[in-house]
Amino acid sequence: MPGISEAAESGQQTEPLRNARRIYGVGVKVLLLSHDDNPNFRPINMVIMNNLKVQVTAKIPTTKQGSVIICGISKTPKELALISADLNLDVLTGQKLELLGVKANLESLTLIPGPSGSVLGLVGLDADLAPEDKLRQLGGVIARGCKEFSEVVVALPDLDGNAALNLIEGFSLGLYEYTPYKSNAAKTLVKKLTVVSSAKVTAAALTEIQLVCQAVHVARDLVNQPANDLYPASFEAHTKKSVKGLPLSIETWDEKALVKGGFGGIAAVGA
């Protein structure tokens, strides 16, 4: 993780080490409870966030096999309307979108054959949400439905800089999967996300999104860990490894230090 500004008290129980209490933090001083050496200790099984190349460009990429081009769908009083940037959509000429199973609600994504071996992804845009929340959710829908493609091109019209960033953040969060305990987990193939927009998006803004999403993925990994793998001793090891090289001090507290420091409730629950 890029850093720790504060840490909340962990609610994780003490299986399998009875003398490994709780881990908590105050400010930038990370306080950890001591634990005895244990032969059953294992490091936390973390999921590494996929390396994703992100591009924001006004030029629509050439369609190719292995790519999916995302267009929007919205409902009008008479029929479903296709909403996209300046794309060649001759493949949809004469098609009744409803008969293809296309829907306008935000959680809907329909994949159909596109030009040059590509695929068109028709995603619903209709939702009663704030614009930034809608775009993040839209990015998540696209990510979850397009993991088998090497490149995802989002070609929605009139995306400004903030809109593009919100969509990219939602997409990055939507790629999250927790698979350490799956024997035949499908691999995410997405390597590149292209958002069609004339807005200027800085590298610093994209880096910030990457760091935020990495931190969220780490938090999700910790939540998804079962108690036999995530316990105070492994949490302590993970915390120390995460803050290595950062201007943070690490202090380990045992049960006596907790009681002396006035944390009787934590000591009692962890006993």
Side-chain angles (χ1 to χ4, degrees):
M1 292 187 296
I4 295 178
S5 58
E6 62 179 2
E9 178 180 327
S10 168
Q12 184 66 44
Q13 296 299 319
T14 55
E15 306 285 344
L17 301 177
R18 294 180 180 178
N19 57 350
R21 307 300 185 198
R22 297 174 182 269
I23 298 175
Y24 62 97
V26 178
V28 295
K29 173 176 277 191
V30 181
L31 305 176
L32 304 174
L33 294 172
S34 66
H35 62 86
D36 295 341
D37 292 335
N38 189 291
N40 294 322
F41 170 77
R42 297 185 301 278
I44 294 176
N45 195 359
M46 303 301 294
V47 173
I48 299 174
M49 183 178 178
N50 288 338
N51 292 323
L52 178 67
K53 182 179 179 181
V54 177
Q55 178 184 24
V56 179
T57 177
K59 183 179 179 180
I60 299 175
T62 303
T63 56
K64 59 184 178 181
Q65 189 170 0
S67 67
V68 56
I69 305 171
I70 302 297
C71 304
I73 297 292
S74 186
K75 189 173 181 60
T76 67
K78 292 185 177 181
E79 59 185 4
L80 295 178
L82 187 64
I83 301 175
S84 72
D86 187 16
L87 288 172
N88 179 5
L89 297 176
D90 291 343
V91 67
L92 294 177
T93 300
Q95 297 282 357
K96 191 73 172 177
L97 295 178
E98 290 87 345
L99 297 180
L100 297 176
V102 178
K103 298 179 181 179
N105 58 294
L106 188 60
E107 291 294 327
S108 175
L109 175 64
T110 305
L111 302 175
I112 62 174
S116 305
S118 67
V119 171
L120 288 177
L122 306 182
V123 64
L125 300 179
D126 294 350
D128 186 17
L129 295 171
E132 60 272 16
D133 293 332
K134 178 179 177 179
L135 285 161
R136 289 191 188 98
Q137 189 168 335
L138 178 64
V141 170
I142 296 170
R144 290 188 292 273
C146 299
K147 291 181 178 180
E148 70 271 25
F149 299 96
S150 60
E151 180 178 4
V152 177
V153 179
V154 180
L156 300 176
D158 306 322
L159 289 178
D160 61 20
N162 287 332
L165 290 172
N166 286 326
L167 191 146
I168 292 167
E169 182 176 352
F171 186 91
S172 298
L173 292 174
L175 286 179
Y176 176 81
E177 289 183 304
Y178 189 74
T179 59
Y181 303 98
K182 294 183 178 180
S183 56
N184 295 308
K187 293 183 178 180
T188 298
L189 301 179
V190 180
K191 298 300 180 183
K192 185 177 181 180
L193 169 65
T194 299
V195 177
V196 178
S197 172
S198 58
K200 294 187 180 298
V201 175
T202 66
L206 293 175
T207 298
E208 181 179 353
I209 288 177
Q210 180 186 27
L211 293 176
V212 168
C213 293
Q214 285 176 343
V216 172
H217 285 203
V218 169
R220 289 172 172 176
D221 284 348
L222 294 174
V223 170
N224 285 324
Q225 285 282 308
N228 63 319
D229 280 341
L230 177 60
Y231 46 90
S234 60
F235 198 1
E236 177 188 24
H238 166 70
T239 303
K240 289 182 176 180
K241 182 179 179 180
S242 297
V243 302
K244 186 177 181 180
L246 297 175
L248 301 176
S249 61
I250 301 292
E251 181 179 351
T252 300
W253 282 20
D254 58 15
E255 187 173 3
K256 291 181 179 180
L258 281 174
V259 174
K260 184 178 179 180
F263 297 96
I266 297 177
V269 172

